[in-house]
Amino acid sequence: MSAVSDNLIPPAEDWRAGGFGLYVHWPFCAAKCPYCDFNSHVVASIDQRQWADALASEITRMAEELPGRNLGSIFFGGGTPSLMTPDTVDTVLRAARRAWGFTNDIEISLEANPTSVEKTRFTGFAEAGVNRLSMGIQALNDDDLRRLGRMHSVADARAAFDVARSVFNRVSFDLIYARQQQTRDAWRKELREALSMAVDHLSLYQLTIEPGTAFGARAAAGKLRDLPDDDMAADMYLETQDICGAAGMAGYETSNHARPDAESRHNLVYWRQGDWAAVGPGAHGRITLPSGRYATEAHMAPTDWLNAVRQRGTAESLREALPLNEQATEYLLMSMRLSEGMDEARYTSLAQKPLNENAIERLFDLGMVERDQGRLRTTKNGRPVLNAILRELAD
């Protein structure tokens, strides 16, 4: 085996430490939110049968390269997957089961918007096999929902959430904070209201202004005003951790909170550097083959993706071998987002060298990191400055 090949192949079945999942990207939305930089598109009509068959075809193709595995999680993301019909979801799940088989406790999540139209599909999604719903509520304030470009009201969100709770045992929802004109007192009140609703999981994201979005254009033109400054946003983050922890929903990842054993298993595949097959326009995956670990990407534009599947039998636009040093860096960047931190021995095995001990000692003396039973993780004081810690460790 050549030195180049040796530098690509991870330790035997390293991916098993993170598990194996399937990501399905549905690229369509009813409207484009001004803060969103995901691969989402607004179209007049969708041929659901055509899309269901194409997604199933891609799953079958990928399974031929990854035989003998069982799926522990499936995640329908987007876009707005709740715009899929239950029949489309059923077709995709049947293809996934034929391709790999499911673990006994498989988690099957679907992202949904809380509109009156979409909530009527919840029972159909459950009958198809979805057992966890993730709702994009984003705010519990009608004025802010309008600013965020959302198509639902707080009343709509509560009604849809009640339907979801009656259909699914596991329900999560998202909120965005550090919004325009939002005060710390207003966020504390909203967060406590959210916790009174929560079933077992909350995703709480600080508003970020991304290039290429409507908010990004407004910010560049000086028209996006009244956002909390960095210090206030940091205070909001710290208060969020304290309030959620006191309510029994500790932060297990930078932006995610859950009751014990209710963490998103699929997202843990990413953060623990497992393998995931990814299908749909713009979907990014990580797969381990006998020749090494690879990053995969699919065509971004829905029409290009669909035509590629139909004409070439694959919509994959990129497959790139990941050298071990890049695998180690990815593991560092993702695992340190988790409250459990990283397995130092696993990092050393991938990087073929240990972490910089001098950097760890400096961060330890500053109270930014701690060690326990072979794991390195951030402290409460370190989490708000995670990016600075990662830069120090990655040097």
Side-chain angles (χ1 to χ4, degrees):
M1 186 174 290
S2 70
V4 173
S5 296
D6 287 343
N7 194 41
L8 295 176
I9 299 175
E13 299 189 326
D14 175 78
W15 62 270
R16 290 189 182 276
F20 177 52
L22 169 67
Y23 175 69
V24 181
H25 189 82
W26 184 255
F28 303 115
C29 283
K32 184 77 171 179
C33 295
Y35 56 85
C36 177
D37 67 340
F38 294 158
N39 185 33
S40 59
H41 305 263
V42 179
V43 296
S45 63
I46 303 166
D47 185 332
Q48 295 267 347
R49 182 72 264 161
Q50 190 177 56
W51 277 87
D53 289 344
L55 289 166
S57 174
E58 282 289 83
I59 289 169
T60 301
R61 174 185 64 81
M62 296 209 72
E64 292 174 356
E65 291 190 277
L66 301 167
R69 299 191 182 194
N70 287 322
L71 282 169
S73 67
I74 300 174
F75 195 97
F76 290 87
T80 307
S82 50
L83 293 176
M84 304 170 83
T85 65
D87 283 345
T88 298
V89 173
D90 182 67
T91 297
V92 171
L93 292 180
R94 287 178 183 274
R97 186 185 287 275
R98 286 194 302 270
W100 289 295
F102 295 170
T103 60
N104 291 334
D105 61 347
I106 187 170
E107 173 192 272
I108 303 176
S109 302
L110 185 141
E111 291 181 334
N113 278 341
T115 67
S116 57
V117 172
E118 291 164 68
K119 75 181 182 184
T120 63
R121 297 176 175 160
F122 290 176
T123 299
F125 294 147
E127 290 173 347
V130 175
N131 55 26
R132 180 179 181 273
L133 203 72
S134 178
M135 298 184 66
I137 292 178
Q138 312 307 7
L140 294 172
N141 174 299
D142 283 334
D143 288 340
D144 284 0
L145 285 172
R146 285 190 288 272
R147 288 192 188 98
L148 292 171
R150 305 299 289 170
M151 299 177 69
H152 64 270
S153 66
V154 174
D156 292 333
R158 283 188 168 277
F161 184 74
D162 287 343
V163 173
R165 289 188 65 173
S166 71
V167 174
F168 301 97
N169 290 328
R170 300 185 64 197
V171 182
S172 177
F173 64 91
D174 301 356
L175 290 180
I176 295 172
Y177 67 95
R179 307 187 302 256
Q180 287 177 277
Q181 301 179 9
Q182 189 178 43
T183 65
R184 288 171 62 183
D185 284 343
W187 172 237
R188 281 194 291 265
K189 180 181 177 181
E190 186 172 345
L191 180 56
R192 290 193 173 99
E193 184 180 355
L195 287 165
S196 73
M197 295 168 56
V199 176
D200 62 1
H201 192 284
L202 280 175
S203 295
L204 305 169
Y205 300 106
Q206 182 177 324
L207 178 64
T208 56
I209 309 304
E210 302 290 352
T213 65
F215 273 2
R218 288 181 211 169
K223 296 180 179 179
L224 193 66
R225 302 184 181 93
D226 301 322
L227 289 170
D229 62 25
D230 290 344
D231 287 341
M232 183 181 290
D235 288 341
M236 286 179 168
Y237 172 82
L238 290 172
E239 285 190 296
T240 297
Q241 309 312 304
D242 290 341
I243 292 170
C244 288
M249 295 189 70
Y252 69 97
E253 188 269 344
T254 301
S255 302
N256 287 271
H257 301 257
R259 302 199 190 283
D261 300 320
E263 298 87 354
S264 168
R265 294 181 213 159
H266 185 81
N267 285 334
L268 285 172
V269 172
Y270 303 151
W271 297 318
R272 289 174 174 167
Q273 192 153 300
D275 267 11
W276 66 96
V279 300
H284 290 64
R286 294 289 186 274
I287 57 174
T288 302
L289 303 175
S291 56
R293 183 170 168 87
Y294 295 84
T296 66
E297 294 180 18
H299 290 290
M300 293 279 289
T303 300
D304 292 345
W305 183 91
L306 193 60
N307 287 338
V309 174
R310 295 167 67 186
Q311 295 169 13
R312 298 194 296 110
T314 175
E316 194 171 287
S317 60
L318 173 71
R319 177 171 295 193
E320 182 179 19
L322 295 172
L324 282 175
N325 65 318
E326 291 186 20
Q327 296 178 47
T329 298
E330 280 196 354
Y331 178 59
L332 168 67
L333 297 180
M334 298 303 284
S335 64
M336 289 297 286
R337 296 179 61 90
L338 293 167
S339 61
E340 70 185 25
M342 71 181 303
D343 180 334
E344 291 191 66
R346 187 179 176 200
Y347 175 87
T348 299
S349 181
L350 289 168
Q352 300 179 320
K353 64 177 182 180
L355 284 162
N356 185 324
E357 194 65 32
N358 291 331
I360 294 174
E361 289 181 7
R362 286 194 299 271
L363 292 168
F364 182 84
D365 290 341
L366 291 169
M368 298 290 116
V369 300
E370 60 189 9
R371 275 174 156 159
D372 181 45
Q373 296 183 336
R375 303 194 74 89
L376 178 72
R377 55 177 174 255
T378 57
T379 62
K380 178 181 177 180
N381 290 334
R383 287 178 199 126
V385 291
L386 174 62
N387 289 339
I389 291 172
L390 292 174
R391 285 193 295 270
E392 185 85 0
L393 292 174
D395 283 346

